[in-house]
Amino acid sequence: MSEKRVKYNEVYISGECVNITDARRVNEGTGAEALAFKLHVEVAPNEIRVVEYYTNMFKADGNPNPIYTGLETICNEVNTRVDNGVGDKVSCSCTLEDNTYYSNGKLIEGVRISGNFCNREEVGKSIRPSQLWRVDVLIDEIEDREDSIGKYLNVKGLVNKYGKYGFYANFRIHNEELIEGFKAHYDVGSVGKLEGTFQEIVTEEESTGGFGSRNKPKRSIERYLEIEGGDAAVKADTISDIKNPFNIDNVLTMREKISERLQKSKDKDAAKMANTKEVNDNDLPF
């Protein structure tokens, strides 16, 4: 009997397909050909989540990848609200993915939703709008903060994507009762399964200049992961199973790989800034 695979990183997104964007083939005509696209799904009224797909045409052994065929059908045949007025209902199986990088000398921290597969609604099988992330987290920091909603608990921790590939993510808890529950079960060094939803804060600031049609308020969207529950935690240093990504040796490897990725991003950003010439009066053609 095969051993049941433990899921340390799960995301489920369901609802009406609003749009499909950035569809493209990568490395077309080669053994590394892949399909990429973004699926915009309404998980609640006026709440849209973007699922990013990237799948290879061939498996590592060179044989055709059946998942590629299925996602190609989704990309080409799913009806969207933008094109048809009403979109097909879809259910997406995904994972939480890192989206942290350096830009103009600043570290930009974030996550994105990486799609694994997708199903369309069938006759007799109804799909209801919903969203859920569920991930195991090694807690690194716990800090009281405040945003435009109010006071919240910020939790930063290590998340595993697969194997020894991990990344850091920030989570929030605004509900006071849930904050007390979290603190009763978790502290720095704890590992446990947390779950919640993707949330966002939309703010508009007054325009700093212009008039008429150019005098528009500046709109910004802050996206974050809201914790809504969790299992009992264990201490990371008590995990002896070498297959568990939060075994101390595996954690060290994940942290080392994160540092390497961030350094590469920092170096690439620095090189980009160095190649950007500052324009002065002597460079102007008049």
Side-chain angles (χ1 to χ4, degrees), residues 92-158:
C92 308
S93 175
C94 325
T95 52
L96 207 60
E97 173 65 281
D98 189 24
N99 192 30
T100 301
Y101 56 91
Y102 278 89
S103 178
N104 295 321
K106 294 182 179 180
L107 178 64
I108 309 299
E109 295 182 290
V111 297
R112 61 188 181 88
I113 305 172
S114 177
N116 297 324
F117 199 68
C118 181
N119 290 307
R120 280 186 292 181
E121 186 175 65
E122 299 177 359
V123 176
K125 293 183 179 180
S126 177
I127 292 178
R128 295 182 178 181
S130 64
Q131 60 165 328
L132 174 72
W133 56 260
R134 182 184 294 126
V135 296
D136 286 59
V137 185
L138 168 56
I139 309 301
D140 285 337
E141 299 174 14
I142 301 174
E143 182 182 10
D144 292 316
R145 295 185 184 177
E146 189 169 353
D147 56 24
S148 61
I149 296 177
K151 294 181 179 179
Y152 70 91
L153 191 69
N154 189 78
V155 178
K156 184 174 183 178
L158 179 65

Side-chain angles (χ1 to χ4, degrees), residues 133 172-175 195-197 199 224-228:
W133 56 260
R172 300 183 189 185
I173 312 178
H174 287 89
N175 182 283
E195 69 178 28
T197 55
Q199 299 296 333
Y224 61 93
L225 302 166
E226 182 77 15
I227 295 174
E228 299 178 352

